[in-house]
Amino acid sequence: MSEMQDLLEVSGYSEKAIDYYLNKVNVGELTEPDTHAIYTGPCGDTMEIFLKVEDGVIKEAKFQAIGCAGAFSSGSALTEMIIGKTLEAAEKIDEEEIINYLGGIPPQKVHCTCLSKRTLQKAIKDYKNKRGGN
Ligand code: FES
């Protein structure tokens, strides 16, 4: 195990969360997204989420972040969780579900899951507004 993995494990990240962070799962951009949004959290970290949507269902999801390991692992988890889901189901995912999916992150990093949740909600809202929905 690398020193970085050790450090992350000692701080309270699950093996899955560490794997997402180190392998940058779903980190990137979509060249022609149907919607994307940027959100900066109260901590100052920023995330951008890109979505491809077909018939109300999320087909592809990628993200970029200027943020901590909590932001990256949450972004990876959330983008994985929403692929194949309807926009309505995706926008309802909350922090607790992201943390459960990750299998644990340090208590002081729980707010980082909110960054990914809010960025996703903004992207979905923008998508609906563009199409005249609510
Ligand atoms: Fe800002 Fe983690 S400290 S998202």
Side-chain angles (χ1 to χ4, degrees):
M1 196 181 270
S2 74
E3 205 171 317
M4 175 65 90
Q5 280 170 302
D6 278 344
L7 280 172
L8 290 164
E9 203 175 307
V10 168
S11 4
Y13 286 95
S14 70
E15 210 175 297
K16 191 174 179 183
I18 295 171
D19 184 66
Y20 280 140
Y21 174 59
L22 295 179
N23 293 305
K24 301 281 181 270
V25 174
N26 290 335
V27 174
E29 294 180 14
L30 295 176
T31 44
E32 286 182 27
D34 293 307
T35 183
H36 72 109
I38 299 177
Y39 175 77
T40 302
C43 65
D45 287 349
T46 298
M47 186 173 285
E48 182 169 16
I49 287 185
F50 304 81
L51 303 177
K52 278 266 188 204
V53 182
E54 253 178 61
D55 299 326
V57 173
I58 297 169
K59 294 290 178 188
E60 285 181 70
K62 296 269 184 201
F63 77 101
Q64 289 284 12
I66 303 165
C68 68
F72 275 96
S73 52
S74 302
S76 292
L78 185 59
T79 47
E80 204 170 79
M81 289 166 82
I82 59 174
I83 293 170
K85 280 199 166 47
T86 61
L87 295 171
E88 284 68 29
E91 70 187 345
K92 283 192 195 122
I93 294 173
D94 63 17
E95 291 87 337
E96 201 180 325
E97 287 171 86
I98 300 170
I99 293 164
N100 287 341
Y101 190 84
L102 279 170
I105 58 171
Q108 69 274 23
K109 290 288 163 187
V110 165
H111 76 275
C112 308
T113 57
C114 190
L115 180 72
S116 53
K117 183 192 85 169
R118 289 204 192 282
T119 313
L120 174 67
Q121 288 176 339
K122 193 169 176 222
I124 292 174
K125 195 172 169 205
D126 288 355
Y127 180 83
K128 288 181 172 178
N129 285 344
K130 266 192 278 173
R131 277 160 181 73
N134 47 28

